[in-house]
Every structure is written in structure tokens, then in C-alpha cells.
Amino acid sequence: MSFDPVLNCKRAVTEDDVEREFWRLVESITEMVEVEYGADIHSTTHGSGFPTTEKNPLDPYSTDPWNLNILPLHPESLFQHIKTDISGMTVPWLYVGMCFSTFCWHNEDHYSYSCNYQHFGSTKTWYGIPGADAERFEQAMRQAVPELFETQPDLLFQLVTLLPPDQLKKAGVNVYALDQRAGQFVITFPQAYHAGFNHGFNFNEAVNFAPHDWEPFGEAGVERLQAFRKQPCFSHDELLMTASGRDSTIKAAKWLAPALERLRDRELQQRTDFLKRHKDFHDHCCKIDNEARVESRVESIHSCKLGFETDEQPASEVENQCSYCKAYSYLSHFRCNSSSKVMCLLHAGSYECCEGSEEQRLTNANHTLRYRFSDDVLRSVVQKVIDRAGMPEAWQEKLDKVLDEEPRPSLKLLRSLVSEGERIPYELPGLLDLKAFVVRCNEWVDDAMNYITRKQQNRRKNDRAWRKGNSAKAAELEERDRELRKVENIHKLLAAAEEISFDCPEITNLSQRSEAISDFQRDARSALMNSGLHSTQEFEDLAVRGKDFHVDIPEVERLEKVVRQMKWNDQARERKNMLQTLADVAALIETAVDIGIPERNDLLMHYREQEEQGKLWESKAKELISVEAVHYQQLEALSNQASSLPVSRETLAAVDAILTKQREAHRLIMSMYERCKDPDLRRRPKYKDVRDVLDGLSELNSKPAGTIDLEKEIKRHEDWMRKGKKLFGKANAPLHILQAHMNHVADHNQYCFELQDKPRMPVEPSSREHTPVDSQEVEDVRSARDVFCMCRQSEAGMMIECELCHEWYHGKCLKIARGKVKEDDKYTCPICDWRVKIPRDAARPKLEDLQDWQNDIVNLPFQPEEEDTLDEIITTAQNFRDFMRPYINPVMTTPEEVTTQRFYLRKIEGAEVLLAYETNFFRQELHKWAPVAPDAPPVLENSFSTRKPRPTKQQKMMTQLGIDNPDDLPQQFRTRQHNFSKARKGSDAQSNKSHQPLQPAPRHRNRSDTPHSASTGTGTEPHTHSHRLPAAMSSTHTDPTYTAYFPSASPHNHHHHPASPGYGPGPYLPNHHAHNPHSGLMDSPGFAPRSPLSRSGPPIDPNLFSPSNNHFAVSMSGHGHSHMLSPQHHSFSSGHQSGGNMDNNIFDDFVADPSDDIGGRNEAAEALEDRGREDEDEQGRMFADEYLNHN
């Protein structure tokens, strides 16, 4: 370490000091220094200093192009076409250096590029010589140490020789130096010699790569290795052939084509030289010579014995390596079958491969010549690459030829050149200028097409602004179109085509269009000057001819105006004698004003007069239509005048509609009135049709003749319907409720009067079965469909068992709420104990009354809708009565028939039609044989509803106003006499007869089956059916539910003792006159009360009688004893069950009060009835509020 005189201390060692010391030691002859250098360490074994995708896939540097593991196989590196990894070239080597560790002068294998990266450590000094000075460097080395090169010609391949840079510079060699530090790359170029040393401990990594410009150097490197008989790292020829098959781009072809040409020429020359040496010994038609085999197919006398084959299959490098020069013979080689040695074509036969002479080696069959590709295939492969590489030049030649040969090139040809150039994946110098020129020509063609073929409206249609209706944008486009439609634009386009200097068909077409426009303008001026000499069609054709040019020509507008005026005159003259509407005439006049028809025109004056008359007719017609009382004679006169005047279609249609409706209504009314007098009922009109016709009259301002008579007949028919409503206890309901209720009655009676429903032993509901029963026993015990209760329907909801007859009843039918039922309660049904009330939602008419009501149908003016339903109800009840005839015999009854009598009484009580005789018979017989009540049941003549009656509208009004007398109501709320209004409604309130005084709605009223007779008509209507009473019973009794029937004296009821309860003769007794009001009285068999206390024999247990507080035998589902309430959790099994699913939670009391409106009733009919009253109730409340506020 030297001394620093300035700082008066030892000076630190610098890199220059290290470099001087290194070269001093190199040049010293006597001084020896030994160092260690870890060079050429395989990274695959010891690892790379760079991250790899195998070990560090997420590291971004693992895929970086400067990663030395990635660099050799970069897409721009030719080493990517090498099929195997080459350590040191394609796989990095590691270098661990120390101070003065050295790498001597050398260049890279195959003259390839190299990249060296220092990961860390001390400085590494490099000395480099450009590839251009490689020969001077080698010459300088030979001059410096000639004795070494004489003994070791491959001395430079051994990396053991150093020559100081100053000596090389003296020899004229350019030498450069650099210092590499950590984190720096050093790149060496092809054929560049380099050397260097390390200043201390460091760690470097290096690898080779080969851009496209390396290829000529690589070929020279292979030739140098072959000259020194050094083994190459890979086959250069194989790399080129592999690249030609893999990379088909023009960019690759640019460097690959020259290389393949040199390869092809070298290979074909070597084959030719070998063939010449082969044929020099024996001139013959050789199978190796392809041309000779084509020219002559006759085998020569001296046939060729040398083996020959062509095989494109790849072989291993050992099989292709020349045993003499160590070069790879990829395309062809010469093999000795005796020694298995392989020779390249340059050394084939010349060097010993076996004991034979050169002639024997080249001619006998013990040797084989192998081609990988034939001459033709090799030429074809190379030519394809050459053609690909020459595509840009070929395209440029075409372009230059077109531009040189034609002063005005064809646009079509230029477009094809642009299309062809765009398909060439290579940068073409003239393509951009050509595209710009073609784009300018295309723009000219597009502008010219506006005046040649495409129409203006099509341009608008395709424009987005027109489609969206943007007014501002549309105005802008309109202005642009106006500019485009100018004739001057055509001349400007033709001048522009001359300036651009190109040729296309559109230029010719546009020139012809310009000449045609000039001809049209000349013809148009001539026609306008002599307009009287031309017809309308001629002017129109001339205008169409001008518009076809799609430009604004002044003559076209003048022609169109003349054409419009001439067409208007023709149209007005043609329509003069035609029937026109007022709008047509007004439009014709408006058109005349718009197109400039003079006011003195005769046709225009005529149509103005017609318009005035039409407006007068219009005002008169509207005046007549708007009045309340239409004058049909004046309307008829106006309708006749419309045939000669222009009137509006709407007004004329309104007039005709009124007249048509009036005529049609009159025709229908007269037709129906005449038909209602027809003796045959089936020919009379249906009530609904007549009702619809009368309701339709509300649209007319006045009623046609005959309407009053038809309304009287309607009133007579509706009186018959009201009579039916009263029979069913629906007197206050709207008329349309009758049909709905009768349908309900008919459906309900189908179950109760079912003749297949025969008496049976008590059967428990299916939900109460717990023990499996054999299927045969089930068939024996049960019918196909078990029915219960008085309604004779399947089990549904809560079921209650009678403790006496053990029949099960629906809780809904008995109006018993589920929440009030207890397990220890017992129940006696109304069949066993007549005192138990049967809840009923509506009155049950007697069969005899229904038959009398049915007999009135023949006298009705119209066919009632209820006829079929009424006939079904009567037929079903009468068939059941006939079926019951054998059972109604008081003489033949015995105690064993109690079960049967209970069964049929249950069916009769469940029906919606009262069979009074049968009911009283079974009640008396059951009391005789199985008495429960202490007194005999009274005679039942009527069956009323147990529901609380609904108050009428007037009763509601009286209650709301606190008035008891209807006469105290305000005048507008009092009941009015029947009249025929425009919008007539079927209501019981409209009647010509006197009305009973109305009373306020009752607070509480219970109605039940009672023996008291009730009239089914109004207070003034006589009852036409005579009730014949049986003989007096031995005793009477009083019951809270039923009272005895005491008829008063009347014209149709003969005198009876008030204390003699009885009932009419049964329909099964002979000679009865139930339907003849004038027949004599007939004694009926008496029904003596049979008290259980008056019987002979042993006394009866008092517990058999029903207690005063009715107990029920019930049980909940899930318990085992016999008296259980049986809930059914599913719907009725029969689809005819009225009311749908029974909801048992609606009952509030165990025994519901009759006033509680719950249970299985005709809910659909009641809903219609309620809706019919809603409007009336709302109107009544409004009137009442107004009245109270006023008072």
C-alpha cells in the first residue's frame, strides 16, 4: 500500500491499483500467484440467482424478459427453436470469483451474444474487442506466441491465453475496457473477443441468446468449429429448418430466407460434389441422381450398389455427427455399416471409416447415403420462405407499375392493392399514402352517389337525428341537405375528379347526369311557356323526371305547382256529382287555397256553396239530437236531405242510430207484446229477454209506442215472482234472488229426498274409527257413502251425537259453536225430542203451495226462468212423497218401526220443502212409540225461518229518524205508488196495490216451525189453497216453540172448533180434496197424545225423558268412550255440499241463538240479496242525514 504525501498516511487501494497489479503479475515471468475461480457452475444443479416460475411463480421477476432464465428463449431469440436445453447457452452458468480470478481471451460458442449479470460482490473488469477486429486479434496473438499456435492450433478455444491490451493496441486491434459492478448487465456481441478479471469476491450469472442478426455469425461460427474439428453445441442447419416450420411471419422470413438460400446452395453443392466423386469411379445412371432417374428408367449395365435412402424422421445428434470434423450433418450424411461411423458429405470416403479403399467406400453396398429431404423438397421449403420474404417487395412492385403505366389509375385497382397490402402482416412503406389516396377517392364517390342513385328521403331515414326527432339536429341536417341538393355541387365534383386524377365509373355517370339536367331545364322552360298545349300527365311526367335528379332545380318547383292545380281541377270536376262528407268538401277547399287556385274558379265557388249548406244541416241535426224529447219526424226529414248535401259521417251516423234504435225498439216491443198473447206458453218470450229490452230503452230519449202495455205485462209477471219469494220467505229480497235460492233448494233436496238413502243402523263418522276393520266388514256395515244429519251429507267439521237415536249431526246444521261444547254434555236431537228447535235460514214452502204456484205459470205473459228449477223441486218432493206412501199408515205402524220413522222424519225435516202430512204423521207416531216430551207434538202447518228478519229500507229509515208511524216520514222518503221509470228496477216496493202499514224493524223476533197458518200473499190477496183439518185431538198443550193451529173463519176455510188442533188430510188417504177449495170436509184420523205415563205395563224410567237443560253427548277426537264429538278436519267429500268448508270457529255459543246468522244456509243467494240492498241502504242513510241536519 503506497504512502500519500498530501494526507501523510497510507493511501487506500483503488481499482486502478488492482488493475495495474493484475497486469504486472501477468507479465511477470518469475512471480507466481495462485487463485481459485468458481466458473461454469450449472444453474440447474446449484440454482439460479434469478427467480424461476417453478419456485417463485408469483414473483413478477420470474417472467421478466431480462431474467437470464427467460432471455435465451425470448420470442425474438433464435434459441427458442433449439429442441433441447444447452447448459451455458440456453441455461445460465454461475461464476463465483475472487481477487485476480481471470477469464482469458475468447469469444462465445457459435459466435452468439452473451449476457452477464453481477448479483453482488466486487468489481469485475472487462476487456472487449469488436467482432470486426477478430482476425487482427487472432493474427496479433499468433505473432506474439507463434510457438504455442504451432503446437496448439486451437489455443484460443482453451481460454488459457492472455495478452495485455497495450500490446494488442500496438498491433492495431481496438480494445475497450469497462468495470462491472453489482446489479449491472454486460452484453457481448457476436464474434467479439473478451477477457477480464475480478477485483475481489463476487457472484455473476451468464447466458447466451441469439437475435435475428446473429444468424450469419452463427453460420460462420459453425464453419470455424468444423475447421478446428471442434464439436458444436447444436446443429445450425436444424435450427434454420425448425424455424422455417414454426415461424411463418414475414418478419422471420426476412432473415430466414437468405440463411436458407445459403443452406440450400451449400447442401446441393455438397451433394453434387459427392455424386461426382461417386460417379467418377463408375459412370452410370445412379439412383442418387434425381435428374438421371427421371430421364432414363432403364437400369444401367453397371448398377449402383451404394445404399441410398430419404428419411424425414428426426435422428439423434450422435447419429448425425461427423466422426472426423465433429460437425452435425443434419440434412445428409454418409454411414459406414461396418463401423457405424458417420461422415459428412465433405469427408465421406476421404477418411477412413473402415479398411476398404476410397473407391470401395463410395461404391459398395456396405455404405449408405441418407438424405433428410430430397432435392425437390428442400428447394420447395426454401422457396416458400423466399416468396414469403419477398411479399412486401412484390406488392411495392405492383404499386409502382400501376402508378407508372396509368396517369389516371383505376380506383378499383387501387382498392385491390390496399386490400392486398392490409393482408400482408408487414410494414409496407407506400401503404399509408395509398390508403389516404383511396380514402379521398372514396369520399368523392360517396358525394357523387348522392346525385346518381340514392334518394334524399333514404338519407334522412338512415340518419339517427331524424329517427329520434331531435328538432335542432334535424334543422341542422336539413340545412346540410339543402346545400347538398344544389346543382352547382355536381360541377364542383366533376372539377374535383379532374384534380384528384383517378378513374371510376361514377365519374362517367355523374357527367351524364349533368348533361341530363341541362336537357331537362331546357324542356321544362319550354313547357311552362306553353302550358295550354300539354296535358296534366305530361306535366306530371316532366316533374317526376326533374325530381329523379335529387337536386334542387327551380323549374321542378314551378312544374309541381302547375301539376297540383291541374290535378285539383280534375279531382273537383270528378267528385262534383259524388256524395261527399262535409270534411271532404272542407279539405278540398283548403287544398285549393294552399295550391293557389283563384277564387273566381267555378269549381271552387260551387264547393264553397255546398260547404255552407252542409254546415246549416249539421247545426240543425245537432240541435234536434241534443233535446230531451226528440222529434223523430224532423230527424227523418234531415236524414233524407243528407243524400244530397255534404254532411259529417259522425252526425249522420248519430241521426241514423237514433232512428234505427227507435225503429228496432218499436219492432221488438211490438213483437214481444204480440208473442206474450200466444196461447202456447213455449212460444211466449222469456222474461229475461223482455227485461233486457226494457232496460235498453233507457238509452232512448223517448219510449216507443207499446212500451206501457209491455211494462204492464212485466208487472204481472213480477207479481208472480213476488208470490214465489213470499213462499220461500224472501219477500224483501230483490227479484233476482228467487232463482238463486230455488237452485239452492233444488240442490239441497237432492240429498234429503235421495231414494237410495235407506234406513240403517247408527254409524260413527270415519274420524272416530281407531280399530282396523276388515274390508269385507266395512262393506257390510257402511254404505258406499256414509251420510249423517238432517242434511244427509257426509261428515264435515264438528259432529255431535244424539244420546237417544245415536245419529250424528253437523254442528253447523244445529248452529252449535265448537267453543261451547264440553266433554260431559249430552244432546238430544230435534227428531227424538220435538221440542228442540231446528235452526232454519229460510222458510220452507209446502209442496201443495208450490204446485199451486206452478199452476199459475200457464197464465203468465212470459216464460219464467224459474220454471225448470220449480219443476225439479216439485218432482223431487212428489217422488219422495210417493215413495213414502207405504210408510204413512197409522194402522200398520209398530214399535219396531221407530228407527225407520226417525230416519225418514230426519230426511223430511232436512229438506227445504215442507211435507206437512208426513211430518205430522212421523212426529205423532214417534211420540206414540218412543215419547220423550211429556206432551204430544202440535200439528205443523208452516215452517218459517229462525233467522232474525231483515228490516226493509223504510223500516231502517224510521229507526234512524226515531219515527214509529210511516206517515211521519218526510214526503221524499214515503213509499210511492208503482210507476214506470226510465231505469226500472225489479223491486217489491213497486206495486199498484195498497200496502200494509209499515212498522219499525223489530228489536228481537224468533221465527220457527209453527202450526199457525201464514198467508203467502199480501194483505189483500186471498189464499186460494184450502187446508183441511183433521179431527180434534184428545188434549192440547202449550210449547214455547210450537203452538196449535186455530184457523179463523174465511171463505176458503170451514168452521172448526178453536180448541181442536188438527192437520189436513194426507195425500195418501182416499178421496181427499186438498187442491179443491170447494170440496166438502173430510174427517182426518185423529192423533191422540200418547204419554209415557198413561201406558200399561211396567213403569218407564224418567231418565229416558230429555232434561229441561238440554245436555249433549259429545266427545273430542282422540278419546275412547262412545259419546264423542267428532271433528272432521277436511272438506265435505261430496261436491254438492252447500257452503264449502265448514268453519267451526265461528260459533260463539254452544247452542246458537236463532237470531245468530251462522250455519249452512244459501250464502250465495244471501250475498246477492245483500248486494241488492247496499245501494238502497247507502242512499237511505244520505237522505236521513240530510233530513236530520235540516231539522
Side-chain angles (χ1 to χ4, degrees):
M1 185 175 292
S2 60
F3 184 80
D4 188 350
V6 177
L7 299 177
N8 196 23
C9 65
K10 293 183 178 180
R11 183 172 57 86
V13 178
T14 63
E15 292 180 350
D16 292 339
D17 295 336
V18 176
E19 185 177 10
R20 291 190 185 94
E21 180 64 17
F22 172 77
W23 287 113
R24 187 189 68 78
L25 293 173
V26 170
E27 293 175 350
S28 175
I29 299 175
T30 59
E31 192 170 357
M32 298 291 294
V33 176
E34 183 177 351
V35 297
E36 293 182 352
Y37 190 15
D40 301 339
I41 301 173
H42 293 250
S43 62
T44 54
T45 304
H46 299 85
S48 172
F50 291 91
T52 61
T53 55
E54 293 81 5
K55 296 182 179 180
N56 310 95
L58 301 180
D59 194 326
Y61 289 104
S62 63
T63 57
D64 191 275
W66 282 98
N67 187 328
L68 297 191
N69 296 288
I70 303 297
L71 182 62
L73 304 180
H74 190 273
E76 297 295 329
S77 175
L78 300 187
F79 287 167
Q80 64 175 319
H81 303 298
I82 299 177
K83 299 179 181 179
T84 58
D85 292 337
I86 302 174
S87 181
M89 290 198 73
T90 61
V91 178
W93 271 352
L94 307 176
Y95 299 88
V96 180
M98 63 174 292
C99 187
F100 296 151
S101 58
T102 306
F103 53 99
C104 298
W105 289 110
H106 72 284
N107 51 20
E108 298 297 323
D109 295 335
H110 292 257
Y111 289 160
S112 63
Y113 285 83
S114 72
C115 181
N116 187 293
Y117 178 77
Q118 186 174 112
H119 290 283
F120 59 85
S122 300
T123 302
K124 180 190 290 286
T125 298
W126 291 73
Y127 301 97
I129 298 173
D133 291 346
E135 291 184 4
R136 283 196 294 269
F137 167 77
E138 293 173 0
Q139 186 64 28
M141 291 289 288
R142 289 188 182 93
Q143 293 177 357
V145 285
E147 65 280 0
L148 293 178
F149 278 94
E150 288 180 3
T151 59
Q152 303 178 50
D154 59 346
L155 181 64
L156 294 177
F157 288 94
Q158 300 178 16
L159 282 75
V160 294
T161 307
L162 275 177
L163 194 65
D166 53 351
Q167 294 186 23
L168 293 174
K169 295 181 70 175
K170 291 177 182 179
V173 179
N174 294 315
V175 182
Y176 301 92
L178 65 83
D179 293 327
Q180 181 189 16
R181 296 175 178 85
Q184 293 180 346
F185 287 96
V186 173
I187 305 297
T188 65
F189 283 74
Q191 206 175 354
Y193 279 93
H194 51 279
F197 70 94
N198 299 304
H199 290 228
F201 174 72
N202 56 19
F203 177 69
N204 285 49
E205 189 169 354
V207 78
N208 295 103
F209 63 98
H212 298 157
D213 60 354
W214 160 84
E215 191 278 328
F217 296 96
E219 184 178 3
V222 172
E223 293 175 355
R224 180 169 178 264
L225 291 172
Q226 188 177 17
F228 285 92
R229 299 177 63 186
K230 294 293 184 180
Q231 180 175 346
C233 297
F234 57 89
S235 173
H236 190 82
D237 294 346
E238 182 180 7
L239 182 146
L240 296 179
M241 297 302 294
T242 303
S244 66
R246 289 181 176 179
D247 196 344
S248 60
T249 62
I250 296 177
K251 182 178 180 181
K254 284 294 183 181
W255 66 264
L256 192 57
L260 289 177
E261 282 188 276
R262 295 193 303 271
L263 179 148
R264 177 197 63 191
D265 296 341
R266 185 188 74 244
E267 177 66 22
L268 293 180
Q269 184 62 42
Q270 290 178 3
R271 292 181 182 183
T272 302
D273 294 343
F274 176 85
L275 182 61
K276 182 178 180 302
R277 289 192 295 124
H278 168 67
K279 295 174 69 174
D280 284 346
F281 295 101
H282 299 286
D283 190 8
H284 60 281
C285 182
C286 185
K287 55 187 176 183
I288 302 174
D289 190 356
N290 187 43
E291 296 179 358
R293 282 186 283 130
V294 173
E295 294 176 357
S296 176
R297 298 183 182 276
V298 180
E299 187 176 359
S300 174
I301 297 175
H302 302 285
S303 61
C304 182
K305 297 180 181 180
L306 182 66
F308 175 75
E309 63 182 16
T310 301
D311 187 5
E312 296 184 7
Q313 296 299 323
S316 64
E317 292 181 347
V318 177
E319 295 177 355
N320 294 334
Q321 189 173 14
C322 179
S323 59
Y324 176 77
C325 66
K326 308 303 181 186
Y328 289 119
S329 301
Y330 176 74
L331 295 176
S332 60
H333 62 263
F334 185 79
R335 177 182 294 274
C336 177
N337 297 332
S338 299
S339 62
S340 299
K341 290 183 178 181
V342 176
M343 308 290 287
C344 63
L345 295 186
L346 291 175
H347 305 121
S350 302
Y351 298 92
E352 295 182 358
C353 60
C354 59
E355 295 180 355
S357 62
E358 182 177 356
E359 179 182 355
Q360 291 175 343
R361 298 187 194 112
L362 294 178
T363 57
N364 63 12
N366 199 30
H367 293 78
T368 303
L369 178 64
R370 182 178 181 271
Y371 287 173
R372 182 173 296 277
F373 303 105
S374 65
D375 295 351
D376 295 337
V377 173
L378 180 61
R379 290 189 184 97
S380 175
V381 170
V382 174
Q383 190 60 42
K384 287 181 180 179
V385 177
I386 294 173
D387 294 342
R388 191 184 309 132
M391 288 177 65
E393 289 75 13
W395 179 87
Q396 188 66 40
E397 290 178 4
K398 290 182 182 180
L399 176 61
D400 295 340
K401 183 178 179 181
V402 170
L403 297 178
D404 294 341
E405 293 180 354
E406 301 181 12
R408 296 167 61 90
S410 171
L411 179 59
K412 181 179 180 181
L413 187 56
L414 295 178
R415 287 172 177 170
S416 65
L417 283 174
V418 170
S419 177
E420 181 181 351
E422 289 177 342
R423 290 196 299 270
I424 297 176
Y426 195 75
E427 183 179 356
L428 303 177
L431 181 59
L432 294 178
D433 295 337
L434 180 60
K435 287 176 66 175
F437 183 79
V438 171
V439 167
R440 184 180 179 189
C441 296
N442 289 336
E443 291 175 353
W444 186 95
V445 171
D446 291 340
D447 293 338
M449 293 298 292
N450 291 327
Y451 307 99
I452 297 175
T453 56
R454 193 171 60 181
K455 296 184 178 180
Q456 187 71 20
Q457 53 267 31
N458 290 339
R459 293 206 307 272
R460 288 184 179 180
K461 188 183 301 181
N462 297 331
D463 214 317
R464 186 176 299 177
W466 286 102
R467 294 197 302 269
K468 291 187 175 180
N470 190 334
S471 59
K473 188 66 175 177
E476 180 182 349
L477 293 175
E478 181 65 29
E479 182 64 26
R480 186 192 69 181
D481 290 342
R482 230 184 339 263
E483 290 295 326
L484 291 174
R485 292 196 298 267
K486 291 183 178 180
V487 181
E488 294 80 6
N489 293 336
I490 296 179
H491 305 298
K492 292 180 181 179
L493 283 173
L494 292 174
E498 290 292 333
E499 180 184 355
I500 298 173
S501 185
F502 73 100
D503 185 27
C504 68
E506 288 77 10
I507 297 177
T508 304
N509 295 336
L510 191 61
S511 299
Q512 295 174 356
R513 180 59 60 94
S514 178
E515 295 175 1
I517 291 174
S518 300
D519 295 341
F520 163 76
Q521 288 178 321
R522 183 175 59 255
D523 296 341
R525 294 190 192 100
S526 175
L528 291 172
M529 292 176 63
N530 303 284
S531 58
L533 302 178
H534 300 278
S535 64
T536 304
Q537 187 61 39
E538 291 176 345
F539 272 100
E540 187 175 2
D541 294 341
L542 195 58
V544 171
R545 176 183 162 191
K547 287 192 292 185
D548 287 341
F549 295 120
H550 312 305
V551 293
D552 292 339
I553 304 175
E555 289 79 8
V556 173
E557 185 175 356
R558 294 171 57 190
L559 286 173
E560 288 181 339
K561 181 177 180 181
V562 172
V563 169
R564 288 195 296 269
Q565 291 179 351
M566 296 178 72
K567 281 188 174 182
W568 187 90
N569 286 321
D570 296 341
Q571 182 183 13
R573 195 176 298 108
E574 180 183 356
R575 294 168 58 179
K576 187 174 181 180
N577 297 325
M578 296 172 57
L579 182 61
Q580 302 181 76
T581 65
L582 187 60
D584 295 338
V585 173
L588 196 62
I589 295 173
E590 183 179 358
T591 303
V593 175
D594 293 340
I595 64 177
I597 298 295
E599 290 292 334
R600 62 181 181 277
N601 186 285
D602 295 338
L603 294 173
L604 181 57
M605 295 172 63
H606 168 75
Y607 281 111
R608 287 193 182 279
E609 183 180 354
Q610 287 282 310
E611 184 184 28
E612 292 178 1
Q613 295 179 2
K615 288 181 178 179
L616 289 175
W617 185 95
E618 188 85 9
S619 61
K620 183 63 176 177
K622 290 181 179 179
E623 180 182 353
L624 290 177
I625 293 174
S626 61
V627 298
E628 182 174 358
V630 178
H631 199 289
Y632 291 99
Q633 290 76 11
Q634 292 183 1
L635 275 183
E636 192 74 33
L638 284 176
S639 178
N640 295 333
Q641 291 178 3
S643 59
S644 60
L645 294 177
V647 298
S648 64
R649 290 190 178 91
E650 294 78 9
T651 307
L652 181 60
V655 171
D656 291 342
I658 293 175
L659 294 175
T660 302
K661 286 182 180 179
Q662 185 73 14
R663 300 188 192 105
E664 182 66 19
H666 181 263
R667 184 188 65 79
L668 286 175
I669 289 173
M670 297 308 297
S671 172
M672 289 185 173
Y673 186 75
E674 292 298 330
R675 287 171 57 195
C676 74
K677 302 299 183 182
D678 196 304
D680 188 359
L681 176 64
R682 299 305 165 200
R683 296 181 181 178
R684 300 172 193 171
K686 294 185 178 296
Y687 167 76
K688 185 178 184 304
D689 298 339
V690 179
R691 183 77 267 169
D692 292 341
V693 170
L694 289 181
D695 292 342
L697 296 181
S698 60
E699 300 178 0
L700 301 178
N701 292 330
S702 62
K703 296 182 179 180
T707 304
I708 302 301
D709 296 335
L710 191 62
E711 287 179 341
K712 291 180 180 179
E713 296 299 329
I714 282 283
K715 173 61 173 59
R716 189 160 65 90
H717 184 97
E718 291 177 350
D719 288 342
W720 177 85
M721 295 175 65
R722 293 186 184 92
K723 179 179 179 181
K725 286 198 306 173
K726 293 174 183 177
L727 287 177
F728 287 102
K730 299 289 183 179
N732 293 333
L735 288 176
H736 63 273
I737 295 299
L738 178 61
Q739 176 67 27
H741 183 71
M742 291 177 66
N743 290 333
H744 163 71
V745 171
D747 294 340
H748 191 79
N749 287 352
Q750 291 294 334
Y751 295 103
C752 297
F753 289 155
E754 173 61 50
L755 301 182
Q756 300 299 326
D757 186 14
K758 300 298 180 64
R760 56 163 171 75
M761 295 300 293
V763 177
E764 290 193 354
S766 58
S767 62
R768 291 180 51 81
E769 294 181 357
H770 299 288
T771 303
V773 183
D774 185 71
S775 59
Q776 183 63 35
E777 294 180 2
V778 171
E779 293 182 2
D780 296 340
V781 175
R782 293 186 176 276
S783 62
R785 185 176 74 90
D786 290 336
V787 292
F788 305 90
C789 191
M790 295 176 291
C791 65
R792 307 311 297 160
Q793 296 192 36
S794 303
E795 175 189 4
M798 183 181 70
M799 303 294 290
I800 299 176
E801 182 185 18
C802 176
E803 66 171 339
L804 298 182
C805 65
H806 299 291
E807 176 65 19
W808 290 85
Y809 294 86
H810 298 111
K812 191 172 185 180
C813 294
L814 299 176
K815 299 291 189 297
I816 297 177
R818 178 189 293 270
K820 299 299 183 179
V821 179
K822 299 179 181 178
E823 283 192 28
D824 55 349
D825 288 337
K826 297 182 180 180
Y827 173 72
T828 303
C829 67
I831 306 304
C832 297
D833 189 352
W834 61 266
R835 296 171 299 176
V836 178
K837 187 186 302 182
I838 300 176
R840 301 195 186 278
D841 294 320
R844 298 192 300 161
K846 296 173 65 176
L847 177 58
E848 293 80 1
D849 294 339
L850 292 179
Q851 290 171 341
D852 291 344
W853 188 45
Q854 185 186 36
N855 294 335
D856 295 338
I857 293 178
V858 296
N859 299 323
L860 294 178
F862 313 117
Q863 298 183 46
E865 298 177 358
E866 300 82 6
E867 182 180 4
D868 294 339
T869 308
L870 177 60
D871 183 70
E872 179 184 357
I873 294 173
I874 293 175
T875 301
T876 303
Q878 187 62 47
N879 291 339
F880 185 78
R881 169 172 279 179
D882 295 341
F883 175 79
M884 292 295 300
R885 193 183 302 273
Y887 299 96
I888 308 301
N889 190 347
V891 179
M892 303 299 296
T893 57
T894 62
E896 289 75 12
E897 297 180 6
V898 169
T899 302
T900 302
Q901 291 174 354
R902 283 174 176 166
F903 173 79
Y904 285 115
L905 179 60
R906 191 177 297 115
K907 290 170 66 69
I908 293 171
E909 290 286 9
E912 295 292 339
V913 174
L914 176 62
L915 301 181
Y917 182 84
E918 291 79 354
T919 302
N920 290 321
F921 178 82
F922 284 126
R923 282 158 58 102
Q924 296 290 345
E925 289 299 312
L926 286 175
H927 184 73
K928 177 173 66 175
W929 302 114
V932 175
D935 299 324
V939 176
L940 183 67
E941 281 294 329
N942 293 289
S943 180
F944 296 114
S945 170
T946 60
R947 293 178 57 196
K948 180 180 178 180
R950 297 177 183 268
T952 64
K953 176 182 175 181
Q954 193 174 45
Q955 288 174 337
K956 291 180 181 179
M957 185 65 65
M958 293 171 60
T959 303
Q960 190 172 0
L961 299 178
I963 299 175
D964 295 334
N965 189 353
D967 295 335
D968 296 337
L969 285 171
Q971 186 65 32
Q972 65 270 26
F973 299 146
R974 295 181 184 177
T975 303
R976 290 177 290 182
Q977 296 297 324
H978 176 76
N979 54 24
F980 298 96
S981 61
K982 293 181 181 179
R984 174 191 175 94
K985 295 184 179 179
S987 172
D988 294 344
Q990 299 175 353
S991 175
N992 292 332
K993 300 179 182 181
S994 60
H995 297 270
Q996 294 292 337
L998 297 177
Q999 300 298 329
R1003 299 297 180 184
H1004 299 285
R1005 180 181 177 186
N1006 295 334
R1007 301 166 65 190
S1008 61
D1009 296 346
T1010 174
H1012 289 289
S1013 175
S1015 175
T1016 59
T1018 58
T1020 59
E1021 294 178 353
H1023 185 59
T1024 58
H1025 183 73
S1026 67
H1027 301 278
R1028 302 196 177 273
L1029 305 179
M1033 301 179 68
S1034 59
S1035 63
T1036 62
H1037 66 275
T1038 302
D1039 184 75
T1041 305
Y1042 301 107
T1043 57
Y1045 172 68
F1046 300 102
S1048 60
S1050 67
H1052 301 287
N1053 292 323
H1054 296 277
H1055 297 283
H1056 295 275
H1057 195 276
S1060 300
Y1063 60 96
Y1068 314 116
L1069 299 181
N1071 300 327
H1072 72 87
H1073 303 276
H1075 298 286
N1076 186 0
H1078 305 291
S1079 61
L1081 291 176
M1082 179 177 180
D1083 293 335
S1084 300
F1087 289 84
R1090 299 180 182 272
S1091 171
L1093 299 179
S1094 62
R1095 280 189 168 186
S1096 61
I1100 299 177
D1101 188 357
N1103 293 329
L1104 293 177
F1105 293 91
S1106 299
S1108 57
N1109 55 344
N1110 294 329
H1111 293 285
F1112 294 83
V1114 299
S1115 63
M1116 301 305 294
S1117 174
H1119 296 278
H1121 58 86
S1122 61
H1123 299 290
M1124 298 292 291
L1125 175 137
S1126 175
Q1128 181 69 18
H1129 299 288
H1130 53 77
S1131 305
F1132 283 105
S1133 61
S1134 172
H1136 301 285
Q1137 175 64 34
S1138 175
N1141 296 334
M1142 294 186 176
D1143 187 359
N1144 297 318
N1145 296 327
I1146 64 173
F1147 301 106
D1148 296 330
D1149 299 318
F1150 184 72
V1151 179
D1153 186 72
S1155 61
D1156 295 339
D1157 195 9
I1158 59 174
R1161 59 181 184 273
N1162 187 1
E1163 298 176 0
E1166 293 176 5
L1168 292 174
E1169 182 178 347
D1170 294 340
R1171 283 198 297 269
R1173 291 191 178 96
E1174 285 178 359
D1175 295 338
E1176 298 178 359
D1177 294 345
E1178 181 63 24
Q1179 185 178 6
R1181 283 193 295 270
M1182 293 173 60
F1183 287 156
D1185 293 341
E1186 180 181 1
Y1187 176 77
L1188 292 174
N1189 293 334
H1190 179 72
N1191 291 337

